[in-house]
Amino acid sequence: MALVVICGQPCSGKSTAATNLAEALKQFESSSKFNVNTIDEASFHLDRNQNYANMPAEKNLRGVLRSQVDRSVSKDKIVIVDSLNSIKGYRYELWCLARATGIRYCVVFCNAEETQCREWNQQRRIKGEAAYDEAIFDDLARRFERPDQKNRWDSPLFELSPLSNGIESYSDVISDAVYYLTKEVDSKTRDVRILQPTIATQSAKFSEANSLYELDRATQEVISVIVEAQSRAAGGPLNGISIGQGLPNLDVSRSVGLPELRRLRRTFIKLTGQTSLSGRPPPSDSESAKRMFVDYLNRELDTTA
Ligand SMILES: Nc1ncnc2c1ncn2[C@@H]1O[C@H](COP(=O)(O)OP(=O)(O)OP(=O)(O)O)[C@@H](O)[C@H]1O
């Protein structure tokens, strides 16, 4: 039904906002026949400082959350992603997942002043709760990319300013977000936008008309090699699968079922065809499509193992 991306500086009140929003939405759950589902870092038992200690750890965290969003979004769920979501390319990727599912989407921005966030982080430390280390907080605050509602993937934007009246000030904005998320679609006013997945919008992202076809074929070939290698091993030990000359091996030690491979392939195609913002162009030939897909599988299968 909807994807809600919560974003903001570290310790800016994102989880507080996500909880408020989820509670407000739950009142409509039974009458409107949807479920509310929050995806956050805590549910993966991940440590705040370790997640952001370096780029690979941070990328890994984003990958885990994105996969979970991809698995969760549906027409009868409101999924809330409670994480920093501070990189605009990443918010774009989440928006693409909402579009591919054909649901509504919005961003809730906890716009607390950086000094306020630091103070809250400090208070956590005093209370003996897990707080961000100074260096990590500084790094995250510096790299934060504010949402801008002119971007499709930051729109509509519900902005919370916790400084004005403490948590009480949330209520109006949270009510606006709840209204947007639960309102019946009115084709005349068009005040609610349901994102529309179309082959045309997906393929328009490719620089060459043929790329989608190439991507499709190359990833299918990789899957066939994996399935064949696994059936040759007949349940025996797997120590990596050779995909082809000049390509990286698939580093899996467990057998991966076809449904899981198909799901990963679908997500990869969705993301790769639409990641112009992440700065990585879509693969230009079958060889690089295969390489990117194997890298993606190694990352995903490693984190979900
Ligand atoms: N509007 C507010 N008024 C007063 N205190 C607040 C407000 N929002 C958050 N806090 C306090 O700030 C701290 C951090 O809140 P919260 O966990 O919601 O932030 P967060 O952005 O989710 O943090 P993280 O970046 O670690 O995920 C908490 O101790 C909370 O009590």
Side-chain angles (χ1 to χ4, degrees), residues 41-154:
E41 296 168 24
S43 44
F44 291 97
H45 308 289
L46 299 170
D47 175 86
R48 205 174 259 122
N49 288 304
Q50 277 170 18
N51 286 338
Y52 297 104
N54 49 50
M55 258 321 139
E58 192 176 322
K59 275 194 185 155
N60 181 50
L61 168 71
R62 286 201 295 271
V64 170
L65 292 173
R66 189 180 50 217
S67 300
Q68 186 61 31
V69 171
D70 191 29
R71 275 194 290 271
S72 305
V73 278
S74 75
K75 300 231 189 242
D76 55 8
K77 252 189 228 160
I78 297 185
V79 174
I80 302 173
V81 202
D82 170 19
S83 182
L84 290 177
N85 296 319
S86 58
I87 295 172
K88 94 178 157 181
Y90 184 62
R91 293 197 295 272
Y92 174 75
E93 288 179 8
L94 295 175
W95 179 82
C96 288
L97 294 179
R99 180 171 66 169
T101 317
I103 53 178
R104 59 190 93 179
Y105 172 94
C106 71
V107 173
V108 173
F109 174 32
C110 293
N111 190 10
E113 294 286 339
E114 195 183 311
T115 45
Q116 178 66 83
C117 302
R118 278 184 197 280
E119 200 181 309
W120 283 336
N121 191 45
Q122 190 60 28
Q123 283 169 10
R124 265 182 179 166
R125 199 168 293 133
I126 294 166
K127 285 189 270 181
E129 293 170 8
Y132 289 100
D133 295 344
E134 279 308 308
I136 293 200
F137 188 103
D138 291 348
D139 179 49
L140 292 173
R142 186 178 49 77
R143 290 191 289 116
F144 181 71
E145 296 177 344
R146 283 177 72 91
D148 176 350
Q149 62 182 339
K150 287 201 264 354
N151 301 326
R152 288 167 298 167
W153 55 91
D154 288 336

Side-chain angles (χ1 to χ4, degrees), residues 6 10 14 46 96 198 220 238 253 299:
I6 310 271
K14 299 181 297 298
L46 299 170
C96 288
T198 64
Q220 188 54 59
L238 277 167
S253 48
R299 239 178 11 248

Side-chain angles (χ1 to χ4, degrees), residues 1 10 15 38 57 63 90 107 114 154 199 255 263 286 301-302:
M1 181 160 160
S15 299
T38 301
Y90 184 62
V107 173
E114 195 183 311
D154 288 336
I199 290 294
S255 183
R263 181 178 55 70
S286 157
L301 292 172
D302 187 37

Side-chain angles (χ1 to χ4, degrees), residues 193-210:
R193 203 174 339 139
I194 311 288
L195 302 178
Q196 296 300 331
T198 64
I199 290 294
T201 50
Q202 284 180 6
S203 48
K205 293 281 172 194
F206 284 78
S207 51
E208 288 169 25
N210 235 3

Side-chain angles (χ1 to χ4, degrees), residues 221-234:
E221 276 174 31
V222 170
I223 296 233
S224 303
V225 172
I226 298 169
V227 170
E228 212 182 295
Q230 289 186 154
S231 81
R232 265 202 312 271

Side-chain angles (χ1 to χ4, degrees), residues 1-4 6 16-32 34 36 78 80 104-108 156-160 170-185 191-192:
M1 181 160 160
L3 176 63
V4 183
I6 310 271
T16 309
T19 308
N20 283 8
L21 178 62
E23 277 168 8
L25 284 168
K26 276 180 200 285
Q27 296 171 19
F28 296 86
E29 258 182 353
S30 53
S31 57
S32 303
F34 62 80
V36 182
I78 297 185
I80 302 173
R104 59 190 93 179
Y105 172 94
C106 71
V107 173
V108 173
L157 183 65
F158 297 96
E159 195 167 319
L160 302 167
Y170 282 1
S171 55
D172 282 353
V173 184
I174 294 287
S175 303
D176 290 349
V178 169
Y179 180 73
Y180 183 79
L181 291 166
T182 55
K183 186 181 182 308
E184 291 284 323
V185 178
D191 53 352
V192 171

